Amino acid sequence: MSDQPHNGVGRLRYKVWLWIIGAALVVIVLTIVLLILPSQIATLVVPNALATYIFFGIGLEALCVYTCVTWLRRQFPFNWIICGIIAALLSLGTVSILPEQEPLDIMILSEEILFMMVLLLLFGSYRLPNWPTIAQLFIGWYIFAVVASFITVVTFNFLTDRLWGIKMALHLILWEALFPVIVFQGQIISGYWNNDPPHLDKPLCSLMLLLDFLACFVFLSCIEDIGTLFHYIVKPSSRKFFNRLIDVDDT
């Protein structure tokens, strides 16, 4: 980082990072445990639409209120308690919306997401000397997008299984979409946008990282269905079928 460890801002930055990452890891681990529970408890039936609406509805409404009420965000320990409750509601909503999955699949997806988030947060926590923050963000995003696109093209050229190639491309698309979001969050936590490190908003920052994890997990859990849909849409026989449908509608 640009500040030395003995600098006051540097010490505050390290302290804030430890608090935020530590709290985020705790709630993410608890979320992974919740995701595994339906496969271990026969009485838990998922997906459950009613439970999803209730958990997400209350959780998102509480998050909006908590974010907008500044004095509430600064009242220790109530800020941590409220964020913990919101995290539990959103995690339960995610568990309710997804079908039952094997614990091994959940662990593999979780490891991929955590690996991606750690890399992007590390990139966001580092600032090149004399570089504008926004320039580093967008140039890094551009380079990453070029590399990811090259890998995708090479994969499609060498793979005979198109369906597997589409699934891999969807993973890379997720990385590209999350790059500016998580890097921006890392820069905010580090105080690189003309702000101090968010010492008083540590619970909220941890909650935002949990939201990143939940969004990524839901997307990756649906990749099988999304990949299969794209696979059949791009098949020549499917295109001919859709062309015939269009011709029939025109007539």
Side-chain angles (χ1 to χ4, degrees):
M1 298 184 184
S2 59
D3 292 305
Q4 298 301 319
H6 64 270
N7 181 275
V9 177
R11 288 197 300 269
L12 177 61
R13 181 178 297 136
Y14 294 138
K15 183 178 180 180
V16 169
W17 268 106
L18 288 175
W19 270 98
I20 292 174
I21 298 301
L25 283 176
V26 169
V27 292
I28 287 174
V29 169
L30 292 177
T31 299
I32 294 173
V33 173
L34 289 176
L35 290 167
I36 294 175
L37 282 182
S39 63
Q40 305 299 314
I41 302 177
T43 55
L44 290 179
V45 180
V46 289
N48 187 320
L50 179 60
T52 300
Y53 293 141
I54 293 174
F55 288 133
F56 274 137
I58 298 175
L60 292 175
E61 185 175 352
L63 176 61
C64 292
V65 173
Y66 174 78
T67 304
C68 295
V69 182
T70 305
W71 65 266
L72 187 61
R73 301 203 321 250
R74 308 294 165 80
Q75 295 294 319
F76 178 85
F78 299 107
N79 51 358
W80 285 103
I81 295 173
I82 294 172
C83 281
I85 294 173
I86 296 173
L89 290 170
L90 296 178
S91 299
L92 290 171
T94 303
V95 174
S96 302
I97 200 174
L98 295 175
E100 181 180 318
Q101 302 177 68
E102 292 296 326
L104 180 60
D105 295 335
I106 294 173
M107 295 302 297
I108 292 174
L109 292 182
S110 300
E111 289 176 3
E112 176 186 348
I113 298 168
L114 289 174
F115 177 73
M116 174 189 66
M117 291 179 64
V118 168
L119 284 181
L120 298 182
L121 286 172
L122 285 175
F123 181 79
S125 68
Y126 179 76
R127 185 177 185 180
L128 294 172
N130 302 320
W131 268 61
T133 303
I134 191 170
Q136 182 172 333
L137 171 62
F138 281 105
I139 291 175
W141 187 17
Y142 174 77
I143 295 173
F144 180 82
V146 170
V147 173
S149 301
F150 175 77
I151 294 174
T152 302
V153 171
V154 171
T155 301
F156 269 95
N157 288 334
F158 285 93
L159 282 178
T160 55
D161 189 347
R162 294 296 182 184
L163 179 57
W164 195 92
I166 291 174
K167 293 177 184 178
M168 180 179 176
L170 290 172
H171 281 262
L172 293 174
I173 289 173
L174 175 66
W175 281 55
E176 290 184 34
L178 265 292
F179 186 98
V181 176
I182 298 181
V183 171
F184 175 74
Q185 290 174 348
Q187 292 175 338
I188 289 292
I189 295 173
S190 298
Y192 292 152
W193 284 83
N194 296 323
N195 65 293
D196 293 326
H199 178 68
L200 297 177
D201 276 328
K202 296 190 296 290
L204 181 59
C205 292
S206 300
L207 186 57
M208 291 299 103
L209 293 180
L210 173 66
L211 285 176
D212 295 336
F213 175 84
L214 294 177
C216 292
F217 192 91
V218 170
F219 180 83
L220 292 181
S221 298
C222 301
I223 270 188
E224 187 73 30
D225 297 328
I226 299 173
T228 303
L229 175 63
F230 274 104
H231 176 65
Y232 284 106
I233 288 177
V234 300
K235 287 179 64 176
S237 58
S238 299
R239 290 199 298 269
K240 292 179 181 178
F241 173 74
F242 288 125
N243 289 333
R244 288 197 298 269
L245 285 179
I246 295 173
D247 293 337
V248 170
D249 292 337
D250 290 339
T251 57

